[in-house]
Amino acid sequence: MSHPKYPHLFEPLDLGFTTLKNRVLMGSMHTGLEEEKNGYERMAAYYGERAKGGVGLIVTGGIAPNRAGWTAPFGSKMTNIKTANKHKEITQAVHDNSGKICMQILHTGRYGYHPLAVAPSRIKSPISPFKPWKLSNMGIKRTIRHFVRAAKLAQHANYDGVEIMGSEGYLINQFVSTKTNKRTDQWGGSFENRIKFPLEIIRQTRAAVGENFIIIFRLSMLDLVDKGNTWEETVYFAKEIEKAGATIINTGIGWHEARIPTIATMVPRAAFSWVTKKMMGEVSIPLITTNRINDPKVAETVLADKHADMVSMARPFLADPEIINKSEQGREDEINTCIACNQACLDHVFEQKTSSCLVNPRACHETILNYTPTKNTKKIAVVGGGPAGLSAATTAAQRGHQVTLFEAQADIGGQFNLAKVIPGKEEFFETIRYFKKQLELTGVQVKLNHKVEKEELIGFDEIIISSGIKPRALKLEGVESEKVLSYEDVLKHKKPVGKRVAIIGAGGIGFDVAEYLTHENSSTSQNVEAFLKEWGVDYNNEVRGGIEGIKPKHEPSPREVYLLQRKETKLGKGLGKTTGWIHRKSLKHKNVKMINGVSYNKIDNQGLHVTIKEKPELLEVDNIIICAGQVSVNNLYEQLKEQSNVHIIGGAKLASKIDAKRAIKEGAELAASL
Ligand code: FAD
Ligand code: NAP
Ligand code: SF4
């Protein structure tokens, strides 16, 4: 019987020799666990939990077929039986939980962050310092054999199949595009020659693993780089992939070096499923679509509208391993939604740290951070209902403690209530929705509009202070002028802002305020067509790479904005590695003047007087908005800190560099220990 609410999502997919229980793939993500101590044990727990959560099929993070294909030095590779035997711990955990799992074979080519990197031609990528070595004809044949060997070893390790990574600008993509393949031998030149490398990999893999083994090919359907493929070439290639023996084609959107956002939070949900839809009917094997699908309703619509046969979600499984079971059981309001911030997953990968998740610090730490039921129920007070306090209160209550949460404001969420009003950060609403439901489910007593005084905390066994932060006030002549506003005045109190504005401070909040002031009524994060126009992508995918000759079209900003900082460094340097460039580009689209090396002299009726690189200047602005960092709200803690049962977390503990990732993690870790 079909599922009443999600008939397409929960329809099994018959692959002939095996059946997937639903239409959801957990997409491949590098987590760094592969390289960790006890990595196999940790990966087994991580994937096992996701299998238990009901997903139809899992794809592992990318595993190299040889050393040259490493992501970084000593990255994971599948080259011998000893390694394959270790992987059995992972496949066992998944199979024990009625799941299915494929191993992704990823050869990074010129994206390899090491001196052994190889490519079809000796051309450096703009995102790696290493110039790759050109593969010889023998080298290419050997590499194909290594892909096949990795697949055979995956089969030995009891994987249900493999995914051959052919997109995102990695080695296979590098062979297919004339941008990176300048060869004149049988592996270069014509399109037929350029696709020979991947087709040989699929053919020889199929011959080696037999018929009853899943081979997914991840095909770049929209390159988003110059000299990318045309749609006709992509369709031709897809047909050849089917003929060569692939079981399923997964969609890849954009090379890593593309300068168009494809998965960040300002990208509308399911913004690229139309690309896969264009391929539907061209091949007879199932197609998977991907990118910014983080919710069962969106997934169901994508499938019902025949954009694909299956959806891939990756980060949503970091945020909530149970997303599928919760959807199936009508518990959608309990889903911890991925807000697409990249802060604890992708940014960690680029910083060579183990991945986790901003909204779920247990992700990739399943053997380390556990919320076990308490044997000693305590009365716990949590002061402050921002991300830190919410995380602490719900985790402690989930463990069986009796928790009271005090919040001075009329609603929970703390500074997240300011983040969620920024255009392109609408997903942040979901985290507050999630915590509200968790407070209800775990039985936390919530006292809103309740600013706590010291005396009220007598009688609690444990006191957690999570009173957060407040904007830093500046010492500057004229700062008391009505022209001067704090970011709270603008985002929370909605004070009117004039047409010419200077923002003092260019951290995350300065950038967000600039985004808010320049995108009034023109946010594209909820509208796929407007988003694609803003970033110069052809909605019909009729031009080369989906971008050739398409000029981005921006709505003009309703305001003239200066974004200022004292440091000489590039503005936005401290923003997330995978998202900072998007914020900078987005503000450039709106002609925001980003100026570094500024010193602030005074504010008067004329505006803001500054010195820029030793030259005095007057910025004639109507308003000056202070986004110059924050200070801790810790007065209550100062009064109580001699007591051994008092704890402090989040921004209240340390305002410098506080973000929701640290706040939520500290809350969860403290609550797990009480
Ligand atoms: P807060 O969020 O400040 O919460 C503290 C709470 O305690 C408040 O609700 C306050 O009312 C309450 N309180 C204080 N004193 C008392 C008392 N005596 N009694 C009762 N209640 C009290 N972070 C990210 O990681 N990613 C982002 O993209 C991001 N974007 C942001 C965008 C904006 C515009 C802003 C302003 C912030 C953003 N942040 C972001 C930062 C993030 O929101 C904060 O780091 C986080 O909210 C800090 O959490 P916290 O719980 O420590 O403090
Ligand atoms: P921040 O990143 O520390 O930036 C503060 C800015 O104010 C800096 O540009 C700083 O640069 C300037 N400044 C500091 N002291 C000043 C002073 N006395 N006078 C004038 N300027 C001063 O802090 P934030 O922007 O308030 O953000 C707070 C936290 O929220 C951050 O840690 C961030 O991680 C998080 N956040 C994240 C995102 C995101 O997208 N990931 C978005 C928003 C917020 P100069 O000293 O060079 O002038
Ligand atoms: Fe999603 Fe952010 Fe968690 Fe990554 S860190 S999985 S983007 S919520």
Side-chain angles (χ1 to χ4, degrees):
M1 208 177 68
S2 69
H3 191 277
K5 218 175 198 175
Y6 305 114
H8 298 88
L9 198 60
F10 289 105
E11 188 189 344
L13 181 63
D14 185 358
L15 298 174
F17 56 92
T18 186
T19 299
L20 306 181
K21 61 184 164 198
N22 55 48
R23 301 299 178 109
V24 185
L25 177 93
M26 173 175 156
S28 173
M29 280 178 290
H30 186 79
T31 60
L33 285 178
E34 298 82 354
E35 291 91 30
E36 280 284 339
K37 194 168 159 250
N38 303 331
Y40 290 97
E41 184 196 342
R42 289 181 64 177
M43 279 191 284
Y46 162 70
Y47 288 119
E49 273 195 21
R50 273 107 194 129
K52 195 172 171 201
V55 64
L57 180 62
I58 295 172
V59 177
T60 66
I63 310 276
N66 57 25
R67 224 160 40 142
W70 272 341
T71 313
F74 309 105
S76 53
K77 56 186 170 57
M78 180 63 101
T79 51
N80 54 49
I81 288 275
K82 199 170 152 214
T83 309
N85 285 337
K86 288 188 187 154
H87 276 253
K88 285 182 179 169
E89 194 172 344
I90 298 170
T91 52
Q92 181 78 42
V94 170
H95 294 151
D96 284 350
N97 286 293
S98 318
K100 289 192 162 54
I101 184 163
C102 292
M103 186 190 87
Q104 188 189 66
I105 310 176
L106 165 70
H107 193 306
T108 50
R110 70 177 194 158
Y111 283 167
Y113 208 80
H114 54 82
L116 306 174
V118 295
S121 301
R122 193 141 200 258
I123 309 167
K124 197 178 91 60
S125 97
I127 58 169
S128 166
F130 297 98
K131 194 169 182 177
W133 300 101
K134 181 182 165 180
L135 276 166
S136 65
N137 181 41
M138 289 299 288
I140 292 173
K141 290 184 174 160
R142 198 180 320 117
T143 306
I144 294 171
R145 286 199 302 276
H146 290 165
F147 267 88
V148 179
R149 177 181 66 188
K152 284 279 290 172
L153 289 167
Q155 195 173 35
H156 174 83
N158 298 328
Y159 280 102
D160 299 279
V162 288
E163 176 173 80
I164 297 168
M165 181 45 153
S167 65
E168 313 330 82
Y170 289 118
L171 182 69
I172 288 179
N173 243 179
Q174 292 158 27
F175 265 92
V176 177
S177 171
T178 54
K179 181 183 174 68
T180 38
N181 183 347
K182 307 284 182 200
R183 302 180 74 96
T184 49
D185 61 3
Q186 56 161 324
W187 308 100
S190 68
F191 190 69
E192 286 76 6
N193 278 1
R194 301 199 311 269
I195 60 175
K196 208 185 262 176
F197 176 68
L199 294 179
E200 275 308 311
I201 292 173
I202 304 170
R203 255 183 231 123
Q204 293 186 29
T205 301
R206 177 54 78 206
V209 296
E211 288 306 311
N212 300 340
F213 194 65
I214 300 170
I215 299 179
I216 307 171
F217 187 87
R218 182 106 183 253
L219 168 66
S220 184
M221 291 200 202
L222 185 71
D223 290 328
L224 299 178
V225 289
D226 63 324
K227 300 199 180 75
N229 292 333
T230 63
W231 183 247
E232 290 68 34
E233 287 169 339
T234 308
V235 171
Y236 175 80
F237 186 17
K239 290 181 176 176
E240 294 298 312
I241 290 166
E242 178 174 12
K243 277 191 225 156
T247 323
I248 300 174
I249 295 179
N250 192 1
T251 306
I253 301 289
W255 290 31
H256 283 318
E257 65 204 63
R259 276 301 166 251
I260 290 162
T262 52
I263 60 165
T265 192
M266 70 290 289
V267 177
R269 288 177 174 185
F272 293 97
S273 62
W274 57 274
V275 181
T276 318
K277 185 182 184 195
K278 230 183 143 177
M279 188 63 84
M280 289 288 275
E282 299 284 2
V283 289
S284 55
I285 53 177
L287 296 179
I288 306 177
T289 196
T290 179
N291 287 48
R292 283 290 281 121
I293 299 171
N294 65 344
D295 172 272
K297 287 184 276 316
V298 175
E300 176 64 21
T301 307
V302 162
L303 294 171
D305 292 348
K306 306 223 173 316
H307 285 209
D309 301 291
M310 204 169 168
V311 293
S312 167
M313 302 190 208
R315 296 169 300 168
F317 284 98
L318 290 178
D320 196 334
E322 278 197 282
I323 179 170
I324 301 304
N325 283 347
K326 287 178 181 175
S327 307
E328 192 168 19
Q329 294 159 9
R331 298 192 287 132
E332 297 90 333
D333 54 353
E334 292 177 36
I335 292 172
N336 197 359
T337 304
C338 164
I339 59 174
C341 63
N342 284 355
Q343 284 176 240
C345 50
L346 228 58
D347 283 345
H348 276 206
V349 170
F350 280 91
E351 292 160 17
Q352 317 267 321
K353 289 192 210 156
T354 304
S355 286
S356 188
C357 172
L358 179 141
V359 299
N360 172 24
R362 272 198 80 239
C364 303
H365 295 75
E366 288 75 11
T367 57
I368 297 165
L369 181 58
N370 276 302
Y371 311 141
T372 47
T374 180
K375 293 193 182 86
N376 175 20
T377 302
K378 293 178 180 173
K379 255 183 93 180
I380 299 181
V382 179
V383 182
L390 289 168
S391 166
T394 53
T395 308
Q398 180 195 328
R399 295 189 52 226
H401 292 301
Q402 233 181 65
V403 182
T404 307
L405 172 71
F406 298 96
E407 169 51 55
Q409 302 293 317
D411 203 357
I412 59 156
Q415 292 230 343
F416 245 42
N417 287 311
L418 308 183
K420 75 184 187 191
V421 303
I422 305 298
K425 281 195 164 177
E426 294 80 1
E427 292 284 3
F428 286 56
F429 273 97
E430 299 287 357
T431 306
I432 298 174
R433 184 265 307 146
Y434 165 77
F435 276 121
K436 266 191 190 149
K437 186 69 191 177
Q438 288 302 310
L439 289 171
E440 189 191 309
L441 289 173
T442 56
V444 174
Q445 203 186 350
V446 182
K447 300 204 169 186
L448 296 175
N449 295 310
H450 196 125
K451 184 160 187 226
V452 180
E453 303 295 339
K454 179 183 164 190
E455 294 68 31
E456 297 173 75
L457 297 172
I458 296 167
F460 284 97
D461 301 317
E462 305 283 352
I463 299 164
I464 301 175
I465 306 291
S466 47
S467 44
I469 50 235
K470 61 180 181 189
R472 173 184 283 130
L474 284 195
K475 288 195 190 92
L476 180 64
E477 188 184 331
V479 79
E480 64 291 339
S481 156
E482 280 188 358
K483 278 173 178 277
V484 180
L485 302 171
S486 71
Y487 64 81
E488 282 190 346
D489 290 332
V490 177
L491 302 174
K492 184 171 163 190
H493 307 303
K494 311 283 180 203
K495 291 206 177 156
V497 179
K499 291 282 173 208
R500 293 165 308 163
V501 185
I503 300 172
I504 293 186
I509 294 179
F511 265 82
D512 274 356
V513 169
E515 207 54 67
Y516 179 82
L517 296 173
T518 54
H519 278 79
E520 209 168 56
N521 303 324
S522 68
S523 172
T524 60
S525 59
Q526 313 280 308
N527 180 332
V528 174
E529 201 168 343
F531 167 81
L532 297 173
K533 264 194 193 141
E534 184 183 7
W535 289 93
V537 180
D538 175 23
Y539 202 170
N540 298 314
N541 199 4
E542 279 169 356
V543 300
R544 200 166 267 290
I547 56 166
E548 195 180 66
I550 307 287
K551 287 231 161 14
K553 281 206 183 95
H554 321 293
E555 290 293 324
S557 165
R559 294 189 178 85
E560 189 186 339
V561 175
Y562 295 91
L563 181 58
L564 311 169
Q565 76 174 24
R566 298 175 302 181
K567 285 189 284 289
E568 296 281 353
T569 50
K570 187 166 77 172
L571 266 79
K573 196 165 183 281
L575 299 178
K577 189 111 180 139
T578 62
T579 50
W581 65 271
I582 306 175
H583 292 298
R584 269 194 301 273
K585 223 172 161 188
S586 168
L587 294 189
K588 267 193 199 138
H589 291 166
K590 299 288 182 183
N591 280 327
V592 171
K593 293 172 193 71
M594 295 181 237
I595 308 175
N596 56 7
V598 179
S599 45
Y600 311 107
N601 303 333
K602 66 171 181 178
I603 295 164
D604 63 17
N605 284 341
Q606 292 177 290
L608 175 63
H609 296 261
V610 293
T611 302
I612 301 172
K613 312 221 165 56
E614 293 174 13
K615 200 168 142 238
E617 279 193 37
L618 167 65
L619 306 180
E620 291 181 61
V621 291
D622 308 311
N623 289 109
I624 294 107
I625 303 174
I626 312 288
C627 301
Q630 297 139 339
V631 291
S632 296
V633 176
N634 55 9
N635 45 332
L636 202 53
Y637 179 73
E638 288 301 318
Q639 296 169 45
L640 296 165
K641 68 181 178 195
E642 303 307 329
Q643 289 178 216
S644 61
N645 63 342
V646 177
H647 315 268
I648 186 162
I649 54 171
K653 180 177 169 189
L654 180 65
S656 169
K657 294 199 165 38
I658 182 65
D659 61 7
K661 180 178 79 173
R662 172 151 70 79
I664 292 176
K665 184 167 183 278
E666 283 182 8
E669 285 175 350
L670 172 63
S673 73
L674 293 177

